[in-house]
Amino acid sequence: MREILKPIICFIGVFFALAAICIIQKALAYDWGNEEKAEEPKESVSITYNIDYHKSTKSDEDDSTLIYADTKEEAIAVADGFDSYPFMRKVDEVVWEDENDKYAIMYYHTTKRWMWEGIGLCKFKIRLSDGKKQYALVKSDIIEDRTNWFRSDPLETVQVLVYAFDMMSQYSIEDGKRFIWGSLGTEKVKTLKIEGQSPTGIVEYTLLGKKEYFWYYDDVESDKPGVQFTVEMETED
């Protein structure tokens, strides 16, 4: 056994010795003077960025890449981007929708099979073709749900969403609006206040056999970034 371990121990010893030598050589060769200088701020490279990151911006979709259809449901059925959730191409229930002359938005619910359901928020671009409206999907947020038995506290759920509030603005159909949305399985959503404001609307629907509530704000009035929004809601009894 000693004859077997001896060359192994020697090899390990030589390996660590070489590693120590390399570390010492690099330490001696490093220009520590330049390191200290690098830490000193230089006025010549000082740059300030002013980014309006929480406002929704005008959409700049390339119209040539969009696929238009006569209805929003048909636009979803023919759109790209549903490879991971092919069953979400079919709209079983429109929970909420809104539109203007340029854009439309729709929140819908779909059943895949027993114990598998999905919800989706989609934004569409509108064009007129021979005087008739047509729709093309430009953005979508799809959520597949198998069970709603294990869910976090509703208030905590919304508090976590603050990190996505600024990104949600891109779904607004009005430029510059701070659109926010979510879905909770409690009537306490009726007491929800974000930045002291109540939701623009709350729509009840059924998800996995239980009551669910889609809530949304057309425009939260605040100058703060979304991550700093205050969120209030009564807790469950």
Side-chain angles (χ1 to χ4, degrees), residues 5-6 23 30 33 35 42 50 72 99 104 108 117 132 140 144-145 155 157 172 179 186 205 228 232 237:
L5 292 176
K6 186 176 181 179
I23 293 172
Y30 191 81
E35 172 69 14
K42 297 181 179 180
N50 184 13
K72 292 184 282 291
E99 66 179 70
Y108 72 103
E117 299 184 14
K132 182 179 180 181
S140 63
E144 186 177 42
D145 200 350
L155 177 57
T157 299
S172 175
F179 177 79
T186 173
Y205 67 105
Q228 296 179 9
E232 304 169 83
D237 298 329

Side-chain angles (χ1 to χ4, degrees), residues 67-83 85-92 106 108 110 122-124 135-140 142:
I67 305 174
Y68 284 89
D70 291 337
T71 66
K72 292 184 282 291
E73 290 84 350
E74 291 174 358
I76 292 174
V78 299
D80 295 327
F82 285 83
D83 294 339
Y85 308 99
F87 78 101
M88 290 299 294
R89 292 182 181 276
K90 180 176 179 292
V91 178
D92 286 336
M106 181 174 74
Y108 72 103
T110 293
C122 294
K123 181 179 180 179
F124 307 84
Y135 304 85
L137 181 67
V138 292
K139 297 181 187 298
S140 63
I142 304 300

Side-chain angles (χ1 to χ4, degrees), residues 18-29:
L18 291 174
I21 292 172
C22 290
I23 293 172
I24 293 172
Q25 287 178 337
K26 288 184 177 181
L28 293 174

